[in-house]
Structures are given as C-alpha cells and as structure tokens.
Amino acid sequence: PYSRVFYHAFPGAIITHRGRRFKVQSMTRPPAFAESAIGYQGGTLAAYAKPTTARYQTRPLSTLKITVVKQIDRVDDFGGGIDSKKEKEETIDTADIYSDLDNYAEKEILKGSLAGNGVINVRRSVHGYKKISAITRVELSRTELSLPAMEFDTFAFWLDTEAPVLSSVIKEYNEGVHALSHAILAVAPLFVPTGTSDLQCDHNTFDCTRIVIFDVRAGGSGTSANLFNFIFVPDGLLHCAVNMMQSCTQCQGDYGYDGGCPSCLQCGDCLKFNQFLNKTAAIHIGKRLLARIEKTSLYQENLRQQKDKADNTSSSS
C-alpha cells in the first residue's frame, strides 16, 4: 500500500534489497488527501537511498490514532448483564475472577454497546526511530524525526473488550487485546476473500478498550464490512480465532513464552513488530466476548435460522 514507503523507508532507515544494505537519505512528502477521503490526489511518494556498511538495523517509532467518524450499525447487549443495584451492593473479588475467569464470564457480563461498524479516521505518524545492533539486538540509540502524518478515512468494525472489568483483572490485558486482534486477522481469510494487505487492526497497547479491524485502502474496500457479518453467527469469526489460539501446535510447548508464533498470532505488518502479545490473555478475553455475543438477539436469530435450515434439509432428504 501507499504507506509502506513512509513507515519502512523513512530518512535514516536501513533497508535490505536483494542482499544489499541501503541507507535512506531522503523521501518525498506524503500526498495530500482529498476532502472526500476516497483517495488522494496527485503526487508521488518515494524514498532515495544509497549503499551502506552500517552494522545496525533501524525500527520506526510510530503512533496510530483511530477515531470513529460515523457509526452505521450497532449491536447492544442488554441480556445477562450486571444489575446496577446489585453491583453497588456486592464487591467483586478480582482474584476469584482471574482464577475462574471462564465461569465468571457466564454470570458477570457488562451491559451496553457490544459491537459496531462504520467510518473511521486513521492517522499514522512516525516520530522517530531506534538503532538496534544486528548482532546482540540491543537498542543503541534513538533519533527523532519531524514527518507529516498520513491521514485517511476508511471502513471498520469494532468490538468492546470490557476494559472497566478486565483491565483490573488480567495483568496482560492490553497485550491480550492486541493478540486477539492479530488472531482475528489470521482467520479472516476463512470467511472472506482477503489478503494480508487488505485488513489491519489497531496495534495500540496502552489503555485498550476495543478491538478495531479496518480496511487498509483509503475509502474502504468492503472487506471489513463483509467480515462483520460473520461475527454474530454460530461458529463465526471470533469462535474460530479463539479455537485457533487454543489448538496451535507450533507454540504450545513454548513454556514461559506467550507471544504466539507465525502460525497463529505473529504477522509481518504489525506496527509493534509482534511485541506486546499475550495469547493466554487473548483467549480469556475472547471467551468473555463470545459469551456476550451468544446472548445477543442477533446471534439467537441467526442460530434459529441455522437450525431451521438444518431441519428443512434433513426432512427433505
């Protein structure tokens, strides 16, 4: 996509091309976007580099800010939630919740907005980079950059992750939300025709409140809109993501390491370079989210239709 040069070939970056190392000297400014946010008008984005013998690698320091511009669809969860009066009277023991989180998910689920989709504004900026030793992988230094941000509107869907409850219960809550976002991207091709360059997620790992999956193309490509239709169905998108994390045979024996592997969580275009991932926390968060999804009227209606269709098929045969 058009932003690849901006985030991987910034001034000072060390890149490798056909086995040769190059250092980026300069780059053109990002193109100006149209007011309609359907694309950008004119201009080219390119980097200029020359061969180098530097014995270090570079990693960009970037920020990603996502703002909901227009909500089109919304799914609320009003069933099976915590009664407001009862919640004031009883104090929840967070230690008990963490030790038996799966059972707690069935009886203590927050009411309110569960999911939605619509138009979002994505603003990305690179504010610097760090040099990393190619031998020891130790950070050597950091350099600040002053580059204009790239901003565009696109289509997305989002899922609430119960931050008021889980952030104080699960120590690696933010890493779990990040990992669950990766898992959803990993199983997306099972439901809609898509590739790694079509969808992206919010890679924020600080004060996470929701999972956001959006189209990489400015203006939207329709991929996330189609994917949203497979959330509130039996054996849907989230169920497949949780099952994939639980059944991954490539990293089950990696005791002491919970960052997943390329077969389940890790992806090549992660803005955090596959750091700050926690599969165990992601499974707990995913199970709680599934419990909320299964209580919605939309899920119950789709389940009923699926059963009716199966009954009609069996009776006709």
Side-chain angles (χ1 to χ4, degrees):
Y2 56 85
S3 61
R4 183 176 179 84
V5 172
F6 188 57
Y7 296 102
H8 295 274
F10 47 85
I14 303 296
I15 60 176
T16 302
H17 178 66
R18 294 185 177 181
R20 299 183 61 188
R21 296 170 61 82
F22 295 84
K23 183 176 182 180
V24 177
Q25 302 298 311
S26 63
M27 64 178 297
T28 59
R29 296 174 63 88
F33 285 91
E35 293 182 359
S36 62
I38 301 300
Y40 51 85
Q41 297 178 338
T44 57
L45 186 60
Y48 303 91
K50 68 178 183 178
T52 183
T53 58
R55 297 182 178 273
Y56 61 86
Q57 297 175 344
T58 55
R59 180 171 294 179
L61 301 172
S62 61
T63 57
L64 174 66
K65 182 179 180 181
I66 295 177
T67 306
V68 176
V69 177
K70 180 180 180 181
Q71 183 173 257
I72 298 177
D73 295 319
R74 172 176 170 172
V75 179
D76 292 326
D77 176 26
F78 296 115
I82 300 176
D83 183 74
S84 58
K85 295 182 180 179
K86 182 179 180 181
E87 184 181 10
K88 295 179 180 178
E89 296 174 356
E90 298 181 359
T91 302
I92 300 175
D93 189 349
T94 57
D96 293 339
I97 299 173
Y98 189 77
S99 61
D100 196 11
L101 198 57
D102 295 339
N103 293 333
Y104 179 77
E106 296 295 332
K107 60 182 179 181
E108 302 289 355
I109 297 178
L110 293 178
K111 297 178 181 179
S113 178
L114 174 58
N117 65 17
V119 180
I120 65 170
N121 177 265
V122 180
R123 181 181 177 86
R124 294 177 174 177
S125 61
V126 174
H127 55 84
Y129 66 92
K130 55 184 177 181
K131 297 180 180 179
I132 301 175
S133 172
I135 300 175
T136 62
R137 308 299 300 170
V138 175
E139 181 178 331
L140 303 176
S141 63
R142 294 196 177 194
T143 302
E144 293 185 0
L145 293 175
S146 179
L147 296 176
M150 296 192 70
E151 186 174 357
F152 63 94
D153 289 354
T154 187
F155 200 87
F157 71 83
W158 48 89
L159 301 169
D160 176 67
T161 54
E162 292 185 284
V165 174
L166 297 185
S167 60
S168 60
V169 175
I170 303 178
K171 182 179 179 181
E172 303 83 6
Y173 166 77
N174 292 322
E175 291 82 352
V177 174
H178 187 203
L180 186 56
S181 301
H182 277 218
I184 292 175
L185 292 179
V187 300
L190 299 177
F191 297 91
V192 297
T194 182
T196 57
S197 61
D198 295 327
L199 292 172
Q200 189 57 273
C201 67
D202 185 2
H203 294 280
N204 181 37
T205 56
F206 181 75
D207 287 344
C208 298
T209 59
R210 61 191 176 187
I211 294 170
V212 182
I213 306 295
F214 60 91
D215 296 330
V216 173
R217 184 182 298 275
S221 60
T223 306
S224 61
N226 293 334
L227 198 60
F228 184 76
N229 298 326
F230 293 95
I231 296 177
F232 295 90
V233 296
D235 298 329
L237 178 67
L238 192 61
H239 177 272
C240 187
V242 173
N243 184 65
M244 182 266 296
M245 289 187 290
Q246 289 180 315
S247 60
C248 179
T249 59
Q250 302 298 320
C251 56
Q252 284 183 347
D254 294 341
Y255 301 106
Y257 175 73
D258 215 5
C261 67
S263 296
C264 56
L265 294 183
Q266 298 179 6
C267 59
D269 55 354
C270 175
L271 297 183
K272 301 296 183 181
F273 297 92
N274 293 312
Q275 296 179 337
F276 312 108
L277 297 172
N278 190 286
K279 187 167 69 171
T280 301
I283 292 174
H284 287 311
I285 296 171
K287 286 182 177 180
R288 285 185 59 86
L289 190 52
L290 274 174
R292 296 181 68 191
I293 288 175
E294 292 172 356
K295 293 179 181 296
T296 61
S297 58
L298 179 59
Y299 178 89
Q300 296 296 329
E301 176 65 21
N302 290 331
L303 179 61
R304 184 188 62 80
Q305 293 179 2
Q306 188 181 78
K307 289 181 178 180
D308 293 343
K309 184 177 180 180
D311 293 340
N312 295 334
T313 302
S314 59
S315 61
S316 62
S317 59

